[in-house]
Amino acid sequence: MLWRCCAFLAFIALPSKSSWTEKLDHGSVSGFPSYEEANKLLQQFLEQHPNELTKQQIGESYQKRPIYAYILGTKSGRQRHPPQVLLTSLTHAREPASLTVLMYFLGHLLDEFKAGDAQASYILEMREVWLVPFVNPDGYVANQGLRSKVIRKNLRPTCRSAVNGGVDINRNFGVHWSGGFNGCNEEHGGTQPFSEPETRALQKICEENSFKTAMNFHAFGSMLTHPYNWANTDLLPADDKAVYKEIAKVFGWKKFGTAIQTVGYTATGESDDWMYSKRHIISMSPEVGPEYGGFWPPSSEIAGIDSRNFERTSYVVLKAGMELKVEAVRQSLGEFLQRESRPPGLENLAGGIPDKLFQLRIDNLGLSPSSGQVLRVGVHGAVKGTPGDPGLLLQDGKTTQLAANDGTVSLQVNSIDKRSSKTVWIIPARSWEIELGAMTVCVSEVDSDSSIRAICHCSASGRESFAFPDATAGLDRLDSRICAAALHGGVSPAGSTAPLATTIKEAPHTSPTTSLQLDSRTSATTMSPTADQPFFQIASSGTTLLLGEKHGKQSLIKSPLPKGEAESQAVFATWLLLALGATFVGMFACLFMQSFVVPRAVARRAPSAVDYERIPGLQVSRAEDSDDLGFSPQA
């Protein structure tokens, strides 16, 4: 009695603060959000981020429910037509973890963008992400009213059993479609390809857009499937197979490949096969959630499933555009001249001809060319000290003058095509000392109008990061200083010391209390991945990523709070102290009243819906348990 009284008083004394993430794992449908609850949360995202998120109806379901796509990206970014990405969920209505993974990615990314996070800012500025949360809204709504919650297909009446009827949306696409399954079979693919309105909605947006990657979320099993799911053997060309292998290593799941390689059977008329074959989208179906959780895992598992898949999803979204990898190799000048012609301007270097130089190779492992005409590059750790004499940059047989300041070399290279690389040579002056032990490279993509995206993609040994340029005196963050050097620096014709003119745009989305923020992904090479665990490695860049709590994400400098915000915090603190005082008074009152309370019997509660679900012995006829969904059987 005492502890209940005290707990109640503490609950009512403290302010109520509900996070949107709680709506994903404390919903009314076995812990998952209902159709209405999910749409309410999506509407909340729209209202809170009108400049970054829009909604567009792309079709309707068999029962005439609207099917919406939510388009994520800044207004300025979408005007430049950045690489597009498609994310879908609930193609199969009994797989609710697919929905919460997609919604968590959307909500968490918007939160980080609002907080001034560099990676989130890069994604919203440099990508356009289309999210379709409810591919199969009818089936999901129908499951909400059933104890069994086994409906997989849409609600077209194809069988005498309402639960077993319907068309499997993921067998209704127009590549290797099959009509060999009857209307009661779970894999019934409809009367013809794209016979279903839900499938046609996805067909429409794929044909009207140029998606580079697609993730069609399913559940469960911690596995990643990719085309060709209809085939018994792996038929992918080598280049695309390499892309899928890079993605698979990031996911870190043991099961990876086609349907026959993962789930043990082939799948006809499947969405990934059509998207890849007809639209050449690098499409995949992550089966999120551990195998022991089943289609409806315990609510205690939902938050972990959602958070573990955030960085995985982010990687696939980023891969639609430029993906950075950098290598540097030191070499003697004699070895270089044995293979290459003598660079122009070599004799004019201060101190005479150097004996060493180094090659810088910048790879784009992504699926689109780098944005804009050129890349501004900052290289730190390649040369030691602060050499005063200029060196040379050799690019495409031409040399330009190069300066190094505080150990950072600033240069400019041409745009890099998808899945290709750019190689340049850094020829130092005699006063330079080459040191490639701990090199960090930051790159900014420059638009054709010569304006600069003030976010850098950085690569270092064992770490990838995104950074804003350090434009504020007194800040000391290496990635940010290199980014600033890349943007402010540049190259000029040999023999001239004038730097290339640049224009730097302020990042418009930083938090009022945060001048600069960095998102980094840190090595943890001593760990080994397990299925559905927050650990993975990017083989292509040699970067090991530890998921879960993000490392290296901290505000570097904070300005004083605005007057109104400071006053509101003072009021809140005063109110909180008063509430805590009232709680203590109530606790003492509970202790005092304990001796006067007369215990009495408490009646057992009536069986709830959860009891009927979990206790087979409660055989009670209930109208709401009927599997009849109201439509007449059809032969």
Side-chain angles (χ1 to χ4, degrees):
M1 176 66 184
L2 174 62
W3 71 268
R4 289 178 179 173
C5 178
C6 295
F8 176 73
L9 285 171
F11 173 76
I12 62 174
L14 292 175
S16 174
K17 185 178 181 181
S18 175
S19 168
W20 64 264
T21 57
E22 295 177 359
K23 299 175 183 178
L24 298 182
D25 54 20
H26 287 74
S28 61
V29 185
S30 299
F32 290 92
S34 67
Y35 177 72
E36 293 76 15
E37 291 165 347
N39 278 296
K40 185 177 180 180
L41 180 55
L42 289 165
Q43 183 61 33
Q44 177 183 322
F45 291 154
L46 284 167
E47 294 171 356
Q48 292 176 347
H49 301 274
N51 295 321
E52 294 80 42
L53 188 64
T54 59
K55 182 172 75 170
Q56 176 180 321
Q57 183 171 348
I58 62 172
E60 61 181 15
S61 66
Y62 177 78
Q63 292 189 338
K64 306 302 181 182
R65 289 185 174 88
I67 299 176
Y68 291 111
Y70 294 81
I71 306 166
L72 181 64
T74 62
K75 288 184 176 179
S76 58
R78 290 198 299 269
Q79 290 172 356
R80 301 183 185 102
H81 305 291
Q84 294 177 301
V85 181
L86 175 64
L87 308 178
T88 74
S89 62
L90 281 181
T91 298
H92 290 150
R94 66 186 180 192
E95 301 174 6
S98 66
L99 171 67
T100 58
V101 164
L102 182 146
M103 293 187 64
Y104 180 86
F105 172 78
L106 173 60
H108 191 56
L109 190 66
L110 287 171
D111 277 358
E112 292 197 329
F113 174 82
K114 185 177 181 180
D117 175 77
Q119 177 176 310
S121 300
Y122 182 89
I123 290 176
L124 266 71
E125 180 70 20
M126 306 290 281
R127 303 290 182 270
E128 181 178 291
V129 186
W130 288 56
L131 305 98
V132 184
F134 288 97
V135 175
N136 185 2
D138 298 346
Y140 192 68
V141 171
N143 274 328
Q144 293 176 185
L146 300 176
R147 284 188 305 166
S148 58
K149 297 180 175 28
V150 296
I151 292 177
R152 161 187 170 102
K153 301 180 286 184
N154 73 0
L155 293 192
R156 182 183 293 277
T158 64
C159 179
R160 293 182 64 86
S161 167
V163 171
N164 295 327
V167 175
D168 184 346
I169 296 171
N170 205 34
R171 300 294 183 271
N172 189 237
F173 285 83
V175 166
H176 280 263
W177 174 86
S178 172
F181 299 98
N182 65 47
C184 296
N185 192 288
E186 279 199 338
E187 295 189 69
H188 176 55
T191 57
Q192 62 183 11
F194 297 111
S195 62
E196 305 311 298
E198 297 91 347
T199 318
R200 292 196 297 271
L202 294 182
Q203 178 191 26
K204 180 175 182 289
I205 61 171
C206 286
E207 292 178 346
E208 292 177 349
N209 293 278
S210 299
F211 298 119
K212 299 299 182 182
T213 58
M215 302 178 77
N216 300 301
F217 289 105
H218 291 260
F220 57 94
S222 299
M223 64 183 75
L224 183 67
T225 64
H226 67 69
Y228 291 103
N229 293 292
W230 57 265
N232 286 303
T233 57
D234 189 352
L235 302 176
L236 285 176
D239 291 346
D240 291 341
K241 188 182 297 185
V243 174
Y244 280 114
K245 284 184 177 180
E246 291 165 11
I247 294 170
K249 289 188 178 182
V250 170
F251 274 75
W253 289 337
K254 293 180 180 179
K255 293 183 179 181
F256 156 71
T258 63
I260 195 70
Q261 294 170 323
T262 53
V263 295
Y265 56 83
T266 58
T268 56
E270 200 266 347
S271 61
D272 293 329
D273 289 358
W274 179 82
M275 291 180 185
Y276 174 79
S277 298
K278 300 302 183 182
R279 305 298 301 171
H280 202 213
I281 303 168
I282 297 298
S283 181
M284 66 213 73
S285 290
E287 296 276 358
V288 298
E291 193 163 356
Y292 62 79
F295 291 120
W296 296 83
S299 58
S300 59
E301 295 279 345
I302 300 173
I305 293 171
D306 295 344
S307 61
R308 283 194 295 272
N309 286 286
F310 177 79
E311 287 291 346
R312 293 164 176 159
T313 307
S314 298
Y315 176 78
V316 177
V317 169
L318 287 166
K319 199 172 189 68
M322 181 178 179
E323 180 186 353
L324 180 67
K325 178 189 173 184
V326 177
E327 293 180 350
V329 179
R330 179 167 41 190
Q331 195 174 61
S332 70
L333 182 63
E335 292 173 328
F336 172 81
L337 292 177
Q338 288 177 3
R339 299 188 319 271
E340 306 287 342
S341 59
R342 191 178 185 87
L346 192 64
E347 299 82 1
N348 299 328
L349 285 173
I353 298 175
D355 57 353
K356 294 179 181 179
L357 70 166
F358 69 92
Q359 179 192 65
L360 182 68
R361 172 175 163 170
I362 304 174
D363 288 316
N364 175 11
L365 299 179
L367 299 172
S368 297
S370 59
S371 177
Q373 294 179 336
V374 295
L375 298 175
R376 294 286 172 81
V377 184
V379 183
H380 181 85
V383 296
K384 189 176 181 180
T386 308
D389 299 323
L392 292 177
L393 171 69
L394 175 61
Q395 178 180 188
D396 299 328
K398 301 177 181 179
T399 55
T400 49
Q401 202 170 88
L402 198 63
N405 297 303
D406 296 325
T408 301
V409 180
S410 301
L411 54 108
Q412 179 174 290
V413 300
N414 298 329
S415 177
I416 306 176
D417 201 2
K418 64 179 181 179
R419 308 294 294 175
S420 63
S421 63
K422 181 71 176 179
T423 300
V424 298
W425 291 90
I426 309 296
I427 305 173
R430 280 282 186 178
S431 59
W432 295 22
E433 184 177 344
I434 299 176
E435 187 177 76
L436 302 178
M439 188 180 70
T440 301
V441 177
C442 291
V443 171
S444 180
E445 299 164 74
V446 182
D447 289 326
S448 57
D449 61 357
S450 299
S451 62
I452 294 176
R453 317 224 186 200
I455 310 170
C456 286
H457 189 175
C458 302
S459 177
S461 176
R463 190 191 69 186
E464 274 191 319
S465 63
F466 293 85
F468 293 119
D470 175 7
T472 306
L475 297 186
D476 187 22
R477 190 83 184 212
L478 179 60
D479 298 66
S480 299
R481 287 192 282 115
I482 300 171
C483 180
L487 295 172
H488 285 290
V491 293
S492 54
S496 169
T497 58
L500 186 71
T502 64
T503 56
I504 306 240
K505 292 183 177 179
E506 290 288 334
H509 35 262
T510 53
S511 168
T513 60
T514 307
S515 298
L516 182 65
Q517 203 157 14
L518 172 72
D519 175 33
S520 64
R521 294 178 282 184
T522 308
S523 295
T525 55
T526 59
M527 300 179 63
S528 60
T530 56
D532 202 44
Q533 292 298 312
F535 175 88
F536 54 85
Q537 185 173 14
I538 300 180
S540 60
S541 63
T543 302
T544 305
L545 311 185
L546 182 63
L547 300 185
E549 295 266 344
K550 279 198 172 184
H551 300 276
K553 289 186 60 178
Q554 55 185 351
S555 174
L556 301 180
I557 188 168
K558 293 188 176 182
S559 59
L561 290 172
K563 181 179 179 181
E565 188 173 344
E567 291 175 352
S568 64
Q569 288 200 7
V571 172
F572 173 78
T574 304
W575 187 90
L576 181 61
L577 289 173
L578 291 174
L580 290 173
T583 300
F584 284 117
V585 171
M587 290 173 64
F588 284 114
C590 286
L591 289 170
F592 179 75
M593 293 294 294
Q594 180 71 12
S595 60
F596 298 98
V597 176
V598 179
R600 65 179 181 178
V602 179
R604 293 177 179 269
R605 62 176 173 82
S608 67
V610 176
D611 295 326
Y612 285 106
E613 184 76 29
R614 296 181 177 176
I615 306 174
L618 293 177
Q619 300 296 333
V620 180
S621 176
R622 302 168 68 221
E624 61 268 33
D625 290 340
S626 171
D627 285 344
D628 186 2
L629 300 181
F631 45 74
S632 58
Q634 183 178 29

